[in-house]
């Protein structure tokens, strides 16, 4: 028996695991107490790594769909068919006729992170999509425009803060996001133990709200009004603290913001949010009075109608209250591999736009909410073929039914994925990589977002099965086969191994840690607490923070001019500790117990509609309707309902062993693909207008 150490690749928290292995079988998975960062923390999902490894549903050989039947084929054949078909489509319909969608595990999977970019570049298509635009795009946009690089995303220094304001995040369940922080629970308690406070603003009294000192219910989609009101109070009452940051800002911009907020009042904010003026004032004063404070906003504000503005406003609030770039505030990391190392230059935003709706490109990608229409709408530049990797957009992107229809209409589709699931069932070829414990790990993206600087590489725990390929090998082979069709022998790109790529990547960093050195430390290397880094770390040309970039000015004016309207019943999402977006649901111990895909509703809203606990109800939106069991609970704010995303495993043609009772419905069959943040193009997955009926009544209505 051997004990091996590896970082968990399932979420952003980077927990170190200690794994007992015998004869290539996992005996146990525990937290690694010696891990320099996570110090033994683990969550219930970690054991799913064993289930994933042993899952009989996992595909092990390439699959080819011929006349509707799946056949297992060789890697050589699969790679060659794929390259040829993609090439043929581009020859006939242009480079942009091939689109690519990359999902969330792309950033948790070292091979994909290091090798997919070259293949994507080789394809030369402007139709690139990813989970970013259903998630954290607005954070990157604020990084790009305010700090000069999309990967300069400030992280809340929760190890040292005295006041943590959480808007639209549930880190007790998500384990933190754009804030890599194993063991949020104990870190939250430590804030309280040192006399600090945690305040949660959320339309649902969440698991995090339960642990906080205060919870404020807020009407979904209205956080921007709350943050602006806080800014307004700070500016009007001169509660600013600019000492620390004075060399890095232009004070004239503060006057400009003050001017822009002239027509806006705290009363407006109270009307919109449902948070009283007194609560807003108290919150703002407490935030400013704390020795250090940090406002942190996550998915409940990122992927909403004003997601773009929200992250500008959150950064600005932290900056003007003296809570940026100092311990306990919002800080930037000093990672061994710095994703923001490139020089500042032309902004990577709106360089092109989506064909049908004209939504803006950002960072080389288009908003995923436009993918279905870009496939379905005939005309010049129509998407005819699709590559998906590490993604399940049918369940994860708004209007999944429309994506089903779109994927069905393609001339060719290839999916790099370990399952035959809701998305990959539409493919002609599935290329299944070795995964999970069979792969090495390095948190390329997440050390850049971690609340403490560290660096760690883990070797694979188990060998990959004979005849299987890693994601990086698949990308490498695909690229070579594709280039052979498009380039001469001398022009072919050089090929590297994963180890060579890691070595090159680390050597570009400034930590001085080499790959050889890193491999000697299976529990990681501690690089110390977050450090103040202004103005050196800024990538703006003038080495100043841009407090009020032009792109935010008109949207802000528009928002302030817009009357505040009553929007009826609004749907928001919900995560669970034993779930990971749309997958892991065929690990029995992850789904067992009472089915969790239910609709939560406030008792008054239920009473108004004659709904009682356990009723099957119909939830109807502009794009669809679904039947779901109602759970009546005062943990919801009146006027809002909550449904988790990533379920709906009852589409035909998949190969997943998920019991009927745990299939659930897909929230994204109700989320409107036409609703995006006009500024950033991010999908509006929270605050979706819906109607809810008891089943019998709706049957009459439909
Ligand atoms: N309504 C609503 N929609 C949402 C959200 C929400 O809160 N509400 N959340 C959004 C967010 S934050 C995100 S990140 C997205 C996620 O959206 P996606 O990334 O599209 O979806 P996932 O469910 O993460 O799908 C991961 C896929 O990767 C595959 N996979 C797992 N491991 C590997 C591997 O090693 N290699 C390869 N090649 N494939 C692998 C899995 O089988 C699965 O098909 O969903 C978004 N959608
Ligand atoms: N167990 C588990 N962990 C995960 C994941 C998972 O699926 N399961 N997914 C991972 C991924 S990809 C991500 S991106 C992160 C996400 O990490 P988080 O953002 O922390 O996770 P969510 O649970 O989506 O939290 C969003 C919160 O916003 C609230 N909310 C919804 N609408 C609004 C609103 O308008 N205003 C406010 N103030 N709040 C609102 C919701 O009630 C919810 O509590 O989690 C990661 N970790
Ligand atoms: S918190 Fe995230 S990284 Fe840690 S064990 Fe759970 S899933 Fe893995
Ligand atoms: Mo995400």
């Amino acid at each position: 028996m051997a004990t091996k150490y590896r970082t968990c690749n399932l979420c952003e928290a980077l927990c170190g695991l200690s794994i007992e292995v015998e004869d290539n079988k996992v005996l146990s998975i525990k937290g690694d107490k010696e891990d320099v960062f996570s110090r033994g923390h683990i969550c219930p999902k970690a054991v799913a790594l064993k289930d994933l490894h042993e899952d009989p549903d996992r595909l092990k050989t390439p699959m080819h769909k011929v006349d509707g039947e799946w056949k297992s084929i060789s890697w050589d054949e699969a790679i060659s068919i794929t390259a040829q078909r993609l090439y043929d489509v581009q020859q006939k319909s242009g480079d942009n006729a091939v689109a690519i969608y990359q999902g969330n595990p792309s950033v948790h999977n070292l091979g994909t992170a290091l090798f997919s970019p070259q293949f994507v570049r080789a394809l030369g298509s402007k139709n690139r999509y990813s989970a970013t635009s259903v998630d954290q795009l607005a954070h990157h946009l604020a990084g790009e425009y305010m700090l000069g690089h999309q990967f300069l995303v400030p992280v809340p220094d929760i190890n040292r803060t005295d006041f943590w304001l959480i808007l639209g995040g549930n880190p007790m369940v998500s384990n933190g996001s754009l804030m890599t922080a194993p063991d949020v629970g104990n870190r939250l308690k430590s804030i309280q133990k040192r006399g600090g406070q945690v305040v949660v603003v959320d339309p649902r009294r969440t698991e995090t709200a339960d642990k906080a000192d205060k919870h404020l219910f807020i009407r979904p989609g209205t956080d921007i009004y709350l943050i602006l009101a806080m800014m307004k109070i700070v500016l009007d009452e001169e509660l600013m603290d600019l000492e620390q940051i004075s060399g890095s800002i232009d004070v004239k911009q503060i006057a400009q913001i003050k001017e822009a907020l002239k027509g806006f009042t705290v009363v407006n904010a109270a009307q919109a949010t449902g948070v009283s003026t007194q609560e807003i004032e108290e919150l703002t004063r407490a935030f400013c009075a704390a020795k250090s404070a940090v406002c942190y906003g996550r998915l409940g504000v990122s992927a909403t109608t004003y997601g773009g503005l929200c992250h500008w406003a959150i950064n600005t609030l932290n900056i003007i209250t003296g809570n940026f770039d100092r311990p306990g505030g919002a800080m930037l990391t000093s990672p061994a591999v710095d994703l923001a190392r490139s020089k500042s230059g032309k902004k990577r935003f709106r360089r092109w736009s989506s064909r049908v709706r004209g939504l803006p490109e950002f960072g080389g990608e288009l908003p995923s909410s436009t993918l279905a229409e870009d496939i379905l709408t005939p005309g010049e530049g129509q998407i005819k073929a699709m590559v998906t990797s590490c993604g399940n957009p049918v369940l994860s992107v708004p209007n999944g039914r429309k994506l089903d229809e779109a994927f069905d209409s393609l001339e060719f589709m290839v999916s790099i994925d370990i399952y035959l699931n809701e998305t990959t069932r539409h493919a002609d070829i599935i290329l299944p990589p070795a995964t999970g414990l069979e792969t090495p790990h390095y948190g390329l993206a997440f050390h850049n977002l971690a609340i403490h600087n560290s660096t760690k590489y883990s070797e694979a725990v188990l060998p990959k099965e004979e005849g299987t390929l890693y994601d990086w090998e698949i990308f490498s082979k695909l690229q070579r086969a594709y280039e052979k069709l498009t380039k001469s022998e001398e022009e072919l790109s050089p090929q590297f191994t994963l180890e060579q790529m890691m070595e090159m990547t680390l050597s570009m960093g400034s930590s001085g840690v080499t790959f050889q050195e890193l491999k000697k430390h299976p529990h990681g290397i501690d690089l110390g607490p977050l450090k103040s880094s202004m103005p050196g770390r800024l990538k703006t040309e003038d080495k100043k923070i841009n407090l009020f970039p032009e792109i935010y000015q008109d949207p802000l004016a528009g928002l302030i001019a817009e009357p505040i309207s009553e929007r009826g019943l609004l749907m928001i999402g919900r995560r669970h500790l034993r779930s990971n977006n749309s997958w892991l649901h065929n690990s029995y111990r992850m789904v067992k117990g009472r089915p969790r895909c239910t609709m939560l509703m406030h008792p008054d809203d239920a009473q108004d509609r004659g709904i009682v606990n356990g009723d099957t109800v119909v939830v109807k939106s502009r794009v669809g309707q679904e039947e779901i069991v109602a759970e009546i609970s005062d943990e919801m704010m009146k006027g809002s309902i909550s449904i988790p995303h990533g379920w709906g495993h009852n589409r035909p043609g998949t190969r997943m062993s998920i019991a009927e009772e745990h299939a659930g419905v897909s929230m994204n069959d109700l989320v409107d693909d036409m609703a995006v943040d006009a500024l950033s193009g991010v999908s509006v997955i929270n605050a979706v207008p819906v109607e809810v009926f008891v089943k019998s009544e709706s049957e009459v209505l439909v």
Side-chain angles (χ1 to χ4, degrees):
M1 195 183 75
T3 303
K4 306 206 176 183
Y5 303 100
R6 187 183 183 280
T7 303
C8 175
N9 59 281
L10 292 174
C11 87
E12 298 180 31
L14 296 183
C15 295
L17 307 176
S18 162
I19 305 176
E20 285 182 338
V21 180
E22 191 168 53
D23 293 335
N24 292 334
K25 257 193 102 70
V26 173
L27 301 182
S28 70
I29 299 182
K30 297 194 181 104
D32 173 12
K33 293 200 174 67
E34 291 172 74
D35 186 280
V36 298
F37 182 40
S38 65
R39 296 180 183 150
H41 178 258
I42 191 169
C43 89
K45 277 202 298 297
V47 293
L49 287 171
K50 175 179 160 72
D51 303 345
L52 190 63
H53 181 68
E54 295 167 4
D55 190 350
D57 289 341
R58 234 179 77 197
L59 304 174
K60 298 288 172 64
T61 57
M63 305 285 283
H64 187 197
K65 200 196 280 151
V66 184
D67 299 329
E69 296 290 320
W70 287 106
K71 293 197 170 66
S72 177
I73 56 170
S74 73
W75 280 105
D76 283 349
E77 208 184 344
I79 298 280
S80 131
I81 299 174
T82 302
Q84 188 68 50
R85 295 288 302 273
L86 295 175
Y87 175 76
D88 290 347
V89 167
Q90 287 185 314
Q91 283 297 99
K92 197 173 85 185
S93 309
D95 286 353
N96 296 333
V98 171
I100 178 154
Y101 173 90
Q102 295 194 268
N104 167 278
S106 305
V107 268
H108 296 273
N109 175 319
L110 184 59
T112 299
L114 288 176
F115 285 76
S116 65
Q118 294 85 295
F119 174 64
V120 173
R121 260 199 305 276
L123 285 178
S125 171
K126 285 185 169 165
N127 286 317
R128 295 165 48 189
Y129 305 82
S130 83
T132 295
S133 48
V134 207
D135 186 349
Q136 82 287 2
L137 190 154
H139 297 250
H140 295 311
L141 193 66
E144 178 92 4
Y145 277 89
M146 300 181 79
L147 309 173
H149 199 291
Q150 62 163 323
F151 292 121
L152 290 178
V153 173
V155 174
D157 183 15
I158 61 171
N159 281 347
R160 292 178 289 187
T161 198
D162 299 287
F163 195 108
W164 186 16
L165 172 58
I166 305 175
L167 307 178
N170 188 10
M172 287 302 296
V173 165
S174 66
N175 296 299
S177 183
L178 295 196
M179 173 192 73
T180 287
D183 202 6
V184 170
N186 275 316
R187 294 178 204 269
L188 195 153
K189 267 191 220 148
S190 298
I191 297 175
Q192 293 165 327
K193 264 196 219 141
R194 57 180 182 262
Q197 276 191 69
V198 179
V199 177
V200 170
V201 178
D202 201 299
R204 186 180 143 235
R205 195 174 59 245
T206 60
E207 296 78 354
T208 308
D210 276 341
K211 302 277 180 220
D213 298 277
K214 189 167 203 159
H215 168 228
L216 297 170
F217 280 114
I218 187 162
R219 221 167 265 144
T222 64
D223 297 71
I224 185 61
Y225 298 96
L226 172 69
I227 316 163
L228 292 180
M230 292 180 74
M231 278 166 63
K232 174 95 180 165
I233 296 169
V234 170
L235 293 169
D236 286 357
E237 299 184 12
E238 303 275 336
L239 299 173
M240 278 102 72
D241 174 359
L242 303 176
E243 204 183 313
Q244 159 97 3
I245 207 74
S246 60
S248 304
I249 58 167
D250 173 357
V251 282
K252 284 206 289 294
Q253 287 189 308
I254 295 187
Q256 227 187 324
I257 296 172
K258 204 169 164 178
E259 178 65 27
L261 292 179
K262 239 181 168 171
F264 181 77
T265 66
V266 179
V267 174
N268 297 148
Q271 258 171 10
T273 59
V275 184
S276 70
T277 52
Q278 193 190 337
E279 295 275 23
I280 297 173
E281 278 161 12
E282 272 175 26
L283 174 66
T284 312
R285 298 218 169 87
F287 190 88
C288 293
K291 264 194 298 193
S292 67
V294 64
C295 175
Y296 161 77
R298 211 32 206 111
L299 211 60
V301 298
S302 309
T304 57
T305 312
Y306 301 108
L309 272 177
C310 277
H311 285 287
W312 161 74
I314 287 172
N315 279 351
T316 305
L317 178 68
N318 285 328
I319 293 167
I320 63 175
T321 55
N323 289 303
F324 179 68
D325 195 43
R326 76 161 222 227
M331 299 194 79
L332 295 170
T333 57
S334 329
V337 179
D338 182 5
L339 295 185
R341 68 179 170 270
S342 59
K343 293 235 164 19
S344 57
K346 193 169 157 23
K347 290 280 174 280
R348 284 160 286 203
F349 185 48
R350 291 183 184 151
R351 290 171 300 178
W352 62 88
S353 45
S354 74
R355 182 173 65 93
V356 179
R357 218 186 310 171
L359 295 180
E361 163 269 353
F362 178 56
E365 292 179 8
L366 290 167
S368 290
S369 275
T370 189
L371 174 57
E373 72 193 12
D374 288 346
I375 297 173
L376 288 169
T377 314
E380 181 76 25
Q382 186 180 2
I383 295 168
K384 298 286 177 67
M386 194 71 221
V387 181
T388 71
S389 164
C390 293
N392 193 0
V394 165
L395 296 193
S396 299
V397 168
N399 204 347
R401 299 277 174 202
K402 191 161 161 191
L403 268 174
D404 272 329
E405 188 193 335
F407 289 161
D408 250 351
S409 73
L410 291 168
E411 289 175 16
F412 178 72
M413 172 161 161
V414 58
S415 292
I416 306 171
D417 204 288
I418 53 179
Y419 289 114
L420 177 38
N421 64 17
E422 297 76 16
T423 293
T424 64
R425 73 196 173 112
H426 294 289
D428 297 286
I429 300 247
I430 304 177
L431 305 172
T435 189
L437 298 177
E438 299 161 355
T439 63
H441 184 275
Y442 184 82
L444 213 48
F446 301 114
H447 289 303
N448 281 258
L449 297 163
I451 56 160
H452 186 92
N453 294 309
S454 69
T455 182
K456 180 179 163 188
Y457 176 79
S458 326
E459 308 273 4
V461 171
L462 300 166
K464 70 177 166 80
E465 274 180 44
E466 213 181 303
T468 59
L469 298 179
Y470 294 117
D471 289 75
W472 68 267
E473 292 175 302
I474 297 173
F475 279 113
S476 208
K477 281 178 190 292
L478 273 179
Q479 185 179 354
R480 182 47 69 105
Y482 178 83
E483 284 188 353
K484 280 194 168 167
L485 299 168
T486 53
K487 291 181 167 178
S488 67
E489 199 67 30
E490 304 80 66
E491 289 171 328
L492 296 179
S493 306
Q495 296 210 290
F496 301 103
T497 63
L498 183 82
E499 294 241 325
Q500 286 168 330
M501 280 292 269
M502 257 318 279
E503 220 166 312
M504 287 188 279
T505 307
L506 268 172
S507 68
M508 287 188 283
S510 55
S511 69
V513 180
T514 63
F515 191 34
Q516 292 314 318
E517 186 64 17
L518 196 55
K519 282 203 220 168
K520 289 186 204 143
H521 294 84
H523 307 289
I525 299 174
D526 191 329
L527 298 174
L530 302 184
K531 292 190 284 275
S532 299
S533 59
M534 290 297 116
R537 192 125 168 71
L538 290 173
K539 295 285 174 186
T540 46
E541 268 162 48
D542 59 359
K543 283 280 174 200
K544 285 216 189 304
I545 297 169
N546 188 352
L547 264 185
F548 200 22
E550 221 180 304
I551 57 157
Y552 296 110
Q553 295 176 10
D554 282 347
L556 179 66
L559 172 88
I560 291 172
E562 205 175 293
I564 290 157
S565 57
E566 176 50 55
R567 298 185 59 218
L569 198 59
L570 298 172
M571 174 175 70
I572 62 168
R574 176 166 98 241
R575 282 175 157 77
H576 190 278
L577 204 49
R578 278 185 286 120
S579 183
N580 199 22
N581 295 324
S582 77
W583 60 302
L584 297 190
H585 295 159
N586 50 338
S587 155
Y588 177 67
R589 54 181 154 179
M590 291 298 118
V591 294
K592 73 177 180 202
R594 219 158 37 92
R596 298 196 302 261
C597 187
T598 58
M599 178 206 70
L600 291 180
M601 183 180 245
H602 186 274
D604 293 354
D605 289 327
Q607 199 178 15
D608 288 351
R609 292 166 177 79
I611 297 168
V612 297
N613 204 38
D615 269 356
T616 295
V617 295
V618 175
V619 182
K620 191 167 183 277
S621 72
R622 192 190 72 83
V623 299
Q625 65 177 51
E626 293 295 327
E627 286 183 16
I628 189 166
V629 172
E631 272 188 87
I632 313 305
S633 166
D634 67 2
E635 74 186 49
M636 289 311 296
M637 186 181 190
K638 222 178 134 182
S640 56
I641 63 160
S642 155
I643 296 181
H645 81 287
W647 299 89
H649 302 293
N650 42 13
R651 284 161 151 88
T654 62
R655 238 179 249 179
M656 318 273 287
S657 316
I658 301 170
E660 179 68 34
E661 75 203 84
H662 293 300
V665 298
S666 176
M667 179 195 182
N668 281 313
D669 289 344
L670 295 167
V671 180
D672 192 344
D673 55 313
M674 294 309 282
V676 296
D677 170 15
L679 164 61
S680 65
V682 85
S683 303
V684 178
I685 57 177
N686 285 303
V688 177
V690 287
E691 291 167 69
V692 177
F693 314 97
V694 285
K695 197 177 158 191
S696 52
E697 191 185 324
S698 65
E699 274 165 357
V700 176
L701 283 171
V702 171

